[in-house]
Amino acid sequence: MKRSLFILLSLLPLLGAAQKSFTISGKLPVGKAPVKAYHNMMQNGKWQEVDSADIKNGIFSFTGNVEDPQQAFLRIRYKGEEHLPSSRLKDVLMFYLESGTIHMASEDLIRNARITGSIVNQEAREFSEARKDYEPANMRLAT
């Protein structure tokens, strides 16, 4: 009994380090003809395209695992951009990837998307909005 308890307790730190699952779901207007979404994140010290998804009727989704919240990018390919490599696409959204379900929705471009379902992204948005008042003063000090 003591041995079983010891083994169970020794495995607890490994359970805490386990990766957690995420889902990214997105909705874009079909009028702009989005055709594919690309998910990029840092892996082994380099930005990597880790997944792509076809956009059907303006809807796309990704699933995966992440250990800790981290910065990620979503790039959208539109009809007519088939000749461009995904790294050259212009409609890009930076966000923070974390476990759970992250929803993205926009009335025009992904870079203007509203992100919900994510505490880290909500806090980043609030921080960005709060510092807007100080940006002009910071720019004057920097020059």
Side-chain angles (χ1 to χ4, degrees):
M1 178 71 172
K2 287 183 182 181
R3 185 173 183 204
S4 296
L5 183 60
F6 174 75
I7 291 172
L8 180 64
L9 291 175
S10 65
L11 292 176
L12 281 178
L14 295 175
L15 294 174
Q19 291 191 344
K20 300 166 193 125
S21 65
F22 68 83
T23 299
I24 301 169
S25 65
K27 180 158 178 47
L28 290 168
V30 295
K32 296 212 180 261
V35 293
K36 199 160 194 99
Y38 299 90
H39 174 217
N40 299 69
M41 56 193 276
M42 186 72 70
Q43 289 187 333
N44 301 320
K46 295 190 302 189
W47 285 104
Q48 300 287 326
E49 183 179 296
V50 294
D51 203 356
S52 64
D54 291 331
I55 302 174
K56 295 184 180 169
N57 298 320
I59 307 286
F60 63 89
S61 70
F62 296 97
T63 59
N65 295 308
V66 64
E67 288 181 28
D68 296 307
Q70 63 176 288
Q71 190 177 40
F73 289 89
L74 199 63
R75 299 175 185 276
I76 303 297
R77 180 182 305 278
Y78 293 90
K79 187 174 182 181
E81 294 180 330
E82 290 84 358
H83 64 286
L84 292 175
S86 63
S87 62
R88 301 288 305 241
L89 298 174
K90 295 179 180 168
D91 191 12
V92 179
L93 174 67
M94 187 286 294
F95 67 101
Y96 293 95
L97 183 63
E98 63 182 313
S99 64
T101 301
I102 300 171
H103 301 281
M104 301 174 176
S106 178
E107 295 180 12
D108 51 17
L109 303 170
I110 196 67
R111 68 175 160 239
N112 299 326
R114 177 89 169 150
I115 300 173
T116 58
S118 165
I119 293 170
V120 175
N121 284 289
Q122 177 183 338
E123 290 176 351
R125 182 175 58 247
E126 289 170 0
F127 175 75
S128 179
E129 289 172 5
R131 70 175 240 217
K132 282 181 184 177
D133 294 338
Y134 300 100
E135 278 303 311
N138 285 340
M139 293 306 289
R140 284 193 302 276
L141 291 173
T143 56

